[in-house]
Structures are given as C-alpha cells and as structure tokens.
Amino acid sequence: MGLRNGSLVCDYCSSTIFTFEPFQIAWTAKDSSDPKAGFSYTTQTWQEIDDGENKGCNWCDILWGEIPFWYQHRKKKESPMPEETFKITVRFEKRNSEDDIVLKVMIEDDWSPRYQVRCDPDENAAAFVPGRKLVWQVASPRAFKLALDCLAQCTLRHDCPKCQEASLPTRVIDCSDPERPRLVLTEGTQGFYAALSYVWGEPQPHSVCTTKLSTYLESIDILLLPKTIRDAIFCTHSLNLRYLWADTLCILQDSDEDKQREIPQMCDIYRCAYVTIIAASSQKVSEGFLHNRRKPVETLLPFWCPDGKLGTISVDESDGDARSSQEPVNRRAWCFQERLLSPRTLVYASHTLQYQCQTAMNEIGDIWNYIPSTELGELRLPCMMISRTPCRTLSSNDVEVLLTAWRNVLHDYTQRAVSDPSDRLMAISGIAQLFQRWWGSSNRYIAGLWERNLSSDLLWYRDCPSDGSLVTERFLAPSWSWAATIGCVVAGWDKKVGNIIWDVQSCDAMPVSGNHPLGQVKGGRLIVRAIVRDVTWDPAEPKLFELKRPCVSVAETGDEPEERDGACSVRSLPASAAQVVDTTVDTELAVKDSDQIKITTLPGPNAKPTSASPVEHVDIRMCNGEQGKKGSKLINIGHSFITNLLKLVPCLVHRKNAHTTETAPTRRPATSRQITSNDTNGNDIRAEAMTPQDHSTNTEMVVASTEAIEIGCGGESDDIGSNNHAKRCQSNEVTVPSKGRERHIGYGYFDYDSAGIGADKGKAVVVGSDKGENPGHLTGLIVVPAGSAGEFRRVGIFHVDGRFYEDDEAPYCDIKSWLDTPSTEVITII
C-alpha cells in the first residue's frame, strides 16, 4: 500500500478504498440509520488478494481471512476460484455507546464481521477515535496514571458512590513504604483504602495469626509475602492510597472467633473501599499480577481524518470481554461477592488492565468508553442499590427488581467453585447482607432463600446435575436449600406457577454462629400442608410416574384382617395412591356368585374433608335408601358384573346433587366420621373417613380397608336379614390388584446424591399451579423419607400437566383430581 497523488492505494486489492472521499463515506455511515450505508466496491481477483496478503498488505490480510470463511459457509466450497471477485461494503459503526467505534466489513451483503477500532493517544486519529490500544505494560507509570484518571473520572461523571472517607476495617496494611509495610489496628479511624480480591490457590504460611500479630504490627518482611500480596502493596502505593485490606493479613487465620467477627464485615469492607484490586489472571497467590502482558498483535490501517490529516488505527477482531469468564478469579465463589460489592475495580486481566464500575467495564485508556453492563454480559447490582443508604419503602417495581437481581446473582454465583463445600453460604453472605438491608424487616433470609418469595425460591434446580461432584458425607444445608448441592443452580422462577396452593406453616434455619446469621447453617426445617401423591421415577431419565395401584377386595366373611406371610392381607389405601376410575379387575379371577364385593375408593372432587386432620381413607357403602329396612339388599353377582360395578361407583360418588352431613358414628372409633348423601334413586351413600394410623407404605401391593363395604340396590326389600348378613361376613377376603400399577405423569429434576440416597420412590408435594379456572400445569417438590419418622428430604422438583395422549407412556395427569383431593398432608422437610 503506497501513497500516490495524495491517496493511499493498495496495488493488489483496490485502488479506491483508501482514497479520501470513499473513506469519508465509510466514516460518516456511523451516523446513518441505514444498515446498508457505507462505501461499496468490487475487489480485485482472489489471486491478487492472496498475493497482496503474502506481500504484507494489511487490508488484503483482512479480506484473505474473511472471504474464505464466508465462501465455505455460503458456497459450501473450500476456497474461491483464482479469478473470482467480491462485493465489499465498508462502514464504521457505533457499538453500545457514542464512544465505542467498530469497523464493519460486509461480504456480498451477507457476512459482516466487526473489528474493534483503537489508536494511540498521540495519533492524529485520536481526536476522532476514542478507543485506545490495550495496555500490556500494566505496571508502567503510564498505566497507573491512566488508572488514576479512570477513578477520578468515574467519581466526577457517574453515579458510583462518592469518594467519602469511610471507617477503616479492623486491620489494614500500611503501604506508605511499600518496602516495609506493616499492619495497623484502626480502632474506627476514617480514611481511604484499597481492597484485594484474588485466588489463594495454595497455602500461605506467612498469613497473620495470633502469635505473629505483634510482630506484623511493627513491620512485615516483604520478602516473606507471596508475589500477589507484594504486587497489591506496590499497586496501592502507586494509586496514592495508604491502606490496603487483604484477608490473609487482616484476619487472624488461626482464630475462629476472629473469623466469625470479620467475615460478616466483608460486605462493608468491599462496599466502602475506594477501589478493589482484582488479580484476575493469577491462578495462585505466588504468581502475582503486575508482570507485562503479551504484546497484542496489531493490524494497522490508514485513517483519513475528517480534517484531511492522515492517521493510523489498529483493528482487532478479538474481544477481551469474551475472555473474562476464563479468568481464574471468575471461577472462584469467594471472589464473586468481592467484585460485585465493590463500587470500582481495577482488573488485572490476562491480556490487559481493565477498569470497572457500576456503568462501565473497559480496558484502561478507554476512559470515556462507558458501556451498559447488560451489553457486556457482566452481572451488576441494580442501579437502585448503588446508594449506600437503602430507601425506606419499596415500590412494587423495586420488589421485582430485587427479586430478579437475586435470581441472577444465584445463577452466576453457583457456577463458581469453593474449596470447602461448607462455604457455599458463607461466600455469598456479603451479598445476602446487602440485599437484606434493602428488604429491611419485610423479608427474611433463610439458608439462601427469601421468605417473601419462598414458594418460588424452593423450586430451584441444578442446571447440569451431572457436572461437578456432590458432597454427601456431611451436612451442608437443609435439603430444601440450593446450598445443599454443588453445581450451577437455576433459581425457582417458573412463570407457570402463578397460583401457590400449599401452605407454608414454618421455615427456619439454625446458623452455626450467632454473629453471622446469614452464613453457614447447622440445621433447618420446612413444614408445609400440601396435596401429596405417592410417585416413583426413572433414575436414568427425568420421567415421573404416579403410584396408581387401586385394588378390589372380594370378601366372603371375616371382620378382622388375616395375616398372610407376615403381612396383613387387608390394608388401608392412602388417599394419594389410587382413584376408582382407574380400577380394573383381572379377567382370570374367579368370583363365586354368592360372594360379597368390598370396594375401597377415594372421595370424588366434590367431597369435603370431614375434620381438620387429613382424610387418609374412605369406606363407601351403598345401602337401601328406604327408612325402616333392616338391611341392605345383597344380590348374587358374577365375574362379568364386577367391571360394570367398578364403573358405577365413581358415578355415585360424583353425583352433582350429592350433599354431605356429619353424623355421630355408632360403632366407629371416635376419630372416624361419616359422610352421607343420597342419589336420585334414594340409595344412601355413606363414606366413612378412616384414621391415618392404618396408612400403608407398601408399594408392591395396595389393598382394601379392614372394613367391609356393603353394595346393594335400592328399591324393593330383600329376604336376607341381618342374621344372614352376619353369617356371610365370616368368609375369607381376596384382594384383586389392578393392571398397570404406574402412570407416566410428568418430568422432574432430581438430585439423588444431594439427599444422600439413591431412592427412586417418594412423594410429590404440590407447590402451585398456573393461573386460571382450569389449571393445566402443576409444579412441586419431590421428597423421600429421611432418617426420622415423619421427616422427608428434598431430592428435586417435578412438573406435570393435564394433556392426554393415546400413547400409554405419554405424560398424563388428571390435574382436577389432584386439585380436588379433599385431604392434605403436613410434611416436614429437613
């Protein structure tokens, strides 16, 4: 590329692109709303572009890299033909802000890569291009000067907290003489200080402990400190700050009492620091962070300034922000709150030095380039939380902002690693403390969840359950807390759960330390009253099945159940186990015509609970409705009548005109109640609620109640009297299990190892449904029995819907029957 008659001309790719007028067309396109604005031209042949790249033409080098990429994806061929030419459109654009300029190179109006545009501050182009070249000498005087300019400019122009003196932490490092630092007991002194955020990565033998404290108060041998701590001391001094806070030297590492006192102060330590120094690139404390970075490879291009002067710009396709997630400091849990709580940070990244605040994240030198955090993909606290003083009252919008911010915090934080799994709650306690200040007394923090949004918060699940290792040999947190697991967590925020159904009676967690109630916990208990169903699931796939094992008892005689093989052959049917509508009869069962049929079923959707205690079992009797009759009419029925009879019972239970009244039982225990209603034929239908003491947990065979059920027909009286009836009741009872004992009802997210067990059977506890008169979706928790009787442990969440498919294996749940369940259970989850 040479200068000919006042114009820059490439001998190979074009003779016009870098002349003054075409270049100005490309430059002014940044102010145009037309996406096709810019300078377009046809290139030389591909062979000539390839020759130009080989001879060092930077513009040919850009085209040589982009055209084959477009060619392979659009033409589906390896490379262009030597004689081919291409349409190129060149334009400059603003990205995200007035001060972020990129170069866009469009190939055939189809492919448009963008390049970051930067230049040196002493270039002619600097008056028009705000971007500056990356700083690779991060410890140079120029780098520190630029950092100071960023800090000063942020304070003057933006909404970060004003630089007011704050109370110094309990201990700080005096960096007045970086060669002879010492520890200082502040005793509430006001001042400015820097804080350090870094990855330990290895033991620090020269940390402050009780025996070394007096020595370190006099002076600290700088040579004993690891490189990262030494660099932080030098950096603090170079930023014209006297004090530095670093955990290894400012917290007594051998004193649990001091840790319990100082760690709860970390929210204020980082929140009130003038700046936080982040050693982002260091994998361990011995590496340091002030070494020179690799000098970036630059692609230089000429730049015709609007005033006619010729300058030079540098273009770079790489994006430093994309590399930030790979930094060691961004993979550690403890470092997360240190960055998020800090009003301003200097980030010593792997490729350069960066400045960050609430409204910006830029390479040093780009002091005017403030970019909204949403465009950077970097998590920021809501703008309302910038102030150090929370507002007294929260609007509905403020509440939603805080809830959304916490969900984002949780997702970002749980992707990070902790060396000690028990620190899962500790390492986020500073952020929780800040949120608690904003919530005030209107919300309570419970082991990582917020009481105000508790039902939704409990629906968290691990994003990738197979990633990471689960710790089960010791207690981390209650099973209902996300802190009980290791791995990325998606906060509960299911938009389909607009209607909370269950009742949370209490939820509490016991902190390890009374000085730090938002930190580590040693126990917790969640007690709810909810609709509960017995379920099982496939351990290999997230398929959920309801245990639907109804049965028919065919009894000849006998008032008491008979023991068979050590188990009672007549058992109580749990309310969550079956519905009559699903009952079938084995066709191979032979039933005598004289047998009396006994059927156990559940009440229909219109039935009402009879007492405060849950209805676990009902005993349905259909008797002669005429008063004064001595008994029910028993008829001889054969095998073919059984199926029709089973179809009949749900109809009787679900009569629209049925009503319920309570009558005092005559021969039942005091805990039983009777529900009586009449059908249109005058038949008396009595449902007796049984006590929950006879609740069976046998999932292999669910059988009928110990009470016989009389089934008769209304109308004329029967010749069979009460004496004959009593005689019949002495015969044996046969239990008939149904076919198809399980039904695929939905899917779930399970954390078997987090509960310490690999069980695949448990209970589905309904939390809520979507809004509407006819909900089509249910969501809740999956729990399994814990060590103590009556206690359960959370192992995941489930989703079911009411869609029906012809495929027997397709998910189906009769949601109406779930929601109309007359009884609820009190479940304790630990």
Side-chain angles (χ1 to χ4, degrees):
M1 186 173 294
L3 184 64
R4 300 178 185 175
N5 298 324
S7 298
L8 286 169
V9 179
C10 175
D11 295 330
Y12 302 98
C13 64
S14 174
S15 59
T16 59
I17 177 59
F18 288 107
T19 57
F20 181 81
E21 291 184 2
F23 192 89
Q24 291 305 304
I25 294 175
W27 174 252
T28 55
K30 63 183 176 58
D31 300 316
S32 173
S33 59
D34 183 3
K36 295 184 179 180
F39 176 71
S40 299
Y41 76 100
T42 301
T43 68
Q44 301 293 89
T45 66
W46 174 248
Q47 183 63 59
E48 291 174 316
I49 294 174
D50 185 53
D51 291 342
E53 191 275 335
N54 289 331
K55 294 183 178 181
C57 174
N58 287 344
W59 185 246
C60 290
D61 181 62
I62 291 176
L63 298 179
W64 186 86
E66 298 297 345
I67 290 176
F69 184 86
W70 168 83
Y71 206 84
Q72 292 169 12
H73 285 76
R74 294 295 186 265
K75 297 287 188 177
K76 305 301 180 183
K77 297 180 181 180
E78 286 298 321
S79 61
M81 299 299 291
E83 67 278 6
E84 283 191 81
T85 59
F86 306 91
K87 176 187 176 183
I88 302 294
T89 301
V90 183
R91 60 175 289 163
F92 290 89
E93 289 184 346
K94 297 175 182 177
R95 188 188 69 169
N96 305 325
S97 75
E98 290 288 331
D99 305 308
D100 192 18
I101 304 297
V102 296
L103 175 66
K104 181 177 179 180
V105 182
M106 297 183 64
I107 303 173
E108 297 289 349
D109 296 327
D110 188 30
W111 172 246
S112 54
R114 291 172 173 82
Y115 294 80
Q116 192 78 32
V117 178
R118 300 183 173 96
C119 68
D120 284 331
D122 54 355
E123 278 283 344
N124 290 333
F128 306 95
V129 177
R132 299 293 175 259
K133 292 183 179 179
L134 296 179
V135 173
W136 58 279
Q137 293 179 313
V138 296
S140 64
R142 176 176 176 268
F144 284 119
K145 181 181 181 303
L146 291 173
L148 286 169
D149 290 343
C150 283
L151 293 172
Q153 191 64 33
C154 172
T155 302
L156 293 174
R157 288 191 59 191
H158 297 279
D159 294 328
C160 293
K162 298 300 181 182
C163 296
Q164 301 172 353
E165 287 189 342
S167 295
L168 296 175
T170 304
R171 305 177 190 92
V172 291
I173 306 166
D174 188 341
C175 305
S176 300
D177 183 356
E179 298 299 326
R180 290 182 59 83
R182 67 184 183 92
L183 206 59
V184 175
L185 298 178
T186 62
E187 299 179 348
T189 305
Q190 300 281 312
F192 297 107
Y193 66 95
L196 175 65
S197 176
Y198 67 108
V199 176
W200 279 40
E202 58 190 347
Q204 297 191 56
H206 297 288
S207 299
V208 168
C209 60
T210 307
T211 57
K212 296 178 181 179
L213 179 58
S214 59
T215 301
Y216 282 19
L217 287 173
E218 294 180 2
S219 66
I220 303 174
D221 186 350
I222 193 69
L223 297 179
L224 296 179
L225 300 179
K227 185 69 165 55
T228 295
I229 305 299
R230 297 203 306 268
D231 284 353
I233 292 173
F234 178 77
C235 184
T236 301
H237 177 75
S238 300
L239 293 173
N240 298 330
L241 295 172
R242 179 175 180 178
Y243 298 116
L244 168 69
W245 188 92
D247 56 1
T248 184
L249 294 177
C250 299
I251 299 178
L252 298 179
Q253 300 299 314
D254 64 342
S255 172
D256 290 338
E257 180 182 355
D258 195 64
K259 289 180 180 178
Q260 291 175 7
R261 182 171 54 250
E262 293 301 315
I263 290 178
Q265 305 302 318
M266 291 181 69
C267 175
D268 290 328
I269 288 173
Y270 284 95
R271 192 71 178 152
C272 297
Y274 179 80
V275 64
T276 296
I277 301 166
I278 299 181
S281 61
S282 302
Q283 299 189 52
K284 52 186 178 180
V285 69
S286 60
E287 289 185 356
F289 59 87
L290 288 183
H291 51 274
N292 289 341
R293 294 344 187 220
R294 177 181 297 180
K295 188 174 182 179
V297 177
E298 300 177 325
T299 301
L300 300 178
L301 294 175
F303 182 89
W304 280 108
C305 301
D307 59 5
K309 295 181 180 178
L310 181 62
T312 303
I313 58 174
S314 169
V315 296
D316 182 11
E317 190 177 16
S318 63
D319 191 348
D321 299 338
R323 296 192 292 264
S324 64
S325 61
Q326 304 302 319
E327 300 283 20
V329 74
N330 290 334
R331 300 197 298 268
R332 302 298 300 175
W334 277 101
C335 298
F336 175 70
Q337 69 176 6
E338 296 168 358
R339 178 185 66 83
L340 199 62
L341 293 171
S342 301
R344 290 168 296 274
T345 61
L346 290 177
V347 182
Y348 286 82
S350 298
H351 64 295
T352 189
L353 172 60
Q354 295 177 325
Y355 166 77
Q356 297 183 19
C357 74
Q358 184 68 21
T359 57
M361 192 199 83
N362 310 287
E363 284 80 20
I364 286 295
D366 262 345
I367 61 174
W368 307 111
N369 190 8
Y370 291 92
I371 304 174
S373 59
T374 53
E375 300 292 341
L376 294 168
E378 287 283 334
L379 183 62
R380 292 287 189 278
L381 291 175
C383 292
M384 60 181 286
M385 299 182 74
I386 295 176
S387 171
R388 295 181 183 178
T389 305
C391 10
R392 294 182 178 179
T393 58
L394 296 174
S395 66
S396 58
N397 182 65
D398 292 338
V399 169
E400 187 59 33
V401 167
L402 289 174
L403 291 175
T404 302
W406 178 258
R407 296 184 188 106
N408 294 334
V409 163
L410 191 62
H411 186 267
D412 197 329
Y413 170 74
T414 55
Q415 297 182 64
R416 298 166 178 250
V418 288
S419 300
D420 185 352
S422 64
D423 287 343
R424 188 93 149 141
L425 286 172
M426 292 280 286
I428 199 177
S429 61
I431 298 176
Q433 185 177 348
L434 180 62
F435 274 81
Q436 183 72 82
R437 291 176 185 174
W438 278 85
W439 284 117
S441 60
S442 68
N443 209 350
R444 184 166 60 105
Y445 184 73
I446 314 171
L449 310 178
W450 293 99
E451 187 176 38
R452 185 165 184 163
N453 204 46
L454 187 59
S455 294
S456 296
D457 279 4
L458 286 164
L459 296 175
W460 59 266
Y461 61 92
R462 287 200 302 144
D463 196 11
C464 299
S466 60
D467 293 348
S469 59
L470 294 176
V471 180
T472 59
E473 68 273 10
R474 57 177 170 150
F475 179 84
L476 300 180
S479 66
W480 40 264
S481 169
W482 53 263
T485 67
I486 299 298
C488 180
V489 168
V490 177
W493 192 18
D494 195 328
K495 294 182 180 179
K496 294 182 180 180
V497 189
N499 182 31
I500 302 301
I501 295 174
W502 74 357
D503 175 36
V504 178
Q505 297 187 345
S506 66
C507 183
D508 296 287
M510 295 173 286
V512 171
S513 170
N515 293 331
H516 199 191
L518 305 187
Q520 187 178 357
V521 298
K522 58 184 177 181
R525 188 175 298 270
L526 170 67
I527 302 177
V528 299
R529 177 177 285 277
I531 298 170
V532 179
R533 295 278 178 149
D534 291 325
V535 293
T536 184
W537 55 87
D538 185 348
E541 298 181 16
K543 293 182 179 180
L544 188 69
F545 299 84
E546 183 179 7
L547 286 173
K548 298 179 73 66
R549 305 182 184 190
C551 59
V552 177
S553 294
V554 181
E556 293 180 340
T557 58
D559 291 329
E560 297 296 329
E562 178 183 358
E563 294 290 327
R564 298 179 183 175
D565 297 330
C568 183
S569 65
V570 183
R571 306 293 295 273
S572 171
L573 181 65
S576 60
Q579 292 288 347
V580 163
V581 70
D582 297 312
T583 304
T584 59
V585 178
D586 195 320
T587 57
E588 297 179 0
L589 177 66
V591 182
K592 297 179 182 179
D593 290 344
S594 60
D595 289 341
Q596 177 187 349
I597 306 301
K598 181 172 71 174
I599 299 177
T600 297
T601 184
L602 291 177
N606 297 322
K608 306 295 183 182
T610 61
S611 65
S613 61
V615 178
E616 294 291 340
H617 172 270
V618 290
D619 189 13
I620 303 295
R621 297 168 180 246
M622 187 175 72
C623 306
N624 193 301
E626 298 181 16
Q627 300 296 326
K629 301 273 175 115
K630 295 183 178 180
S632 300
K633 179 180 179 181
L634 298 180
I635 61 174
N636 295 333
I637 55 176
H639 175 269
S640 61
F641 181 71
I642 295 177
T643 302
N644 293 330
L645 177 63
L646 298 179
K647 295 178 180 178
L648 174 64
V649 174
C651 297
L652 297 175
V653 175
H654 299 152
R655 289 279 186 185
K656 292 184 178 179
N657 62 342
H659 64 275
T660 61
T661 60
E662 291 191 6
T663 60
T666 57
R667 64 183 183 90
R668 301 282 182 178
T671 53
S672 297
R673 292 178 181 267
Q674 284 189 344
I675 304 174
T676 305
S677 62
N678 296 316
D679 67 0
T680 55
N681 295 324
N683 295 319
D684 182 46
I685 304 173
R686 290 176 295 173
E688 296 195 2
M690 306 302 294
T691 60
Q693 280 72 19
D694 195 28
H695 184 104
S696 170
T697 56
N698 186 349
T699 57
E700 296 302 323
M701 180 68 69
V702 181
V703 295
S705 166
T706 58
E707 296 292 335
I709 299 178
E710 301 172 1
I711 302 180
C713 296
E716 299 179 0
S717 63
D718 192 86
D719 295 335
I720 301 176
S722 60
N723 292 335
N724 290 335
H725 175 142
K727 183 177 181 180
R728 290 179 181 273
C729 290
Q730 297 176 1
S731 60
N732 294 326
E733 177 179 283
V734 180
T735 298
V736 185
S738 70
K739 293 181 179 180
R741 61 187 183 182
E742 297 171 354
R743 173 169 288 181
H744 184 189
I745 58 171
Y747 61 96
Y749 301 90
F750 306 113
D751 285 311
Y752 312 108
D753 295 336
S754 68
I757 54 179
D760 60 355
K761 295 178 183 177
K763 292 181 178 292
V765 184
V766 179
V767 172
S769 71
D770 51 357
K771 292 183 178 180
E773 295 182 0
N774 299 307
H777 181 272
L778 293 178
T779 298
L781 305 183
I782 301 291
V783 299
V784 296
S788 302
E791 294 182 341
F792 294 83
R793 190 175 299 275
R794 179 198 194 276
V795 293
I797 67 173
F798 72 88
H799 296 275
V800 295
D801 59 47
R803 293 176 296 172
F804 177 77
Y805 303 91
E806 293 297 331
D807 183 3
D808 292 339
E809 290 300 316
Y812 174 71
C813 169
D814 185 1
I815 289 182
K816 191 175 187 300
S817 71
W818 281 45
L819 296 178
D820 290 339
T821 300
S823 63
T824 56
E825 294 185 30
V826 176
I827 294 287
T828 299
I829 308 174
I830 60 174

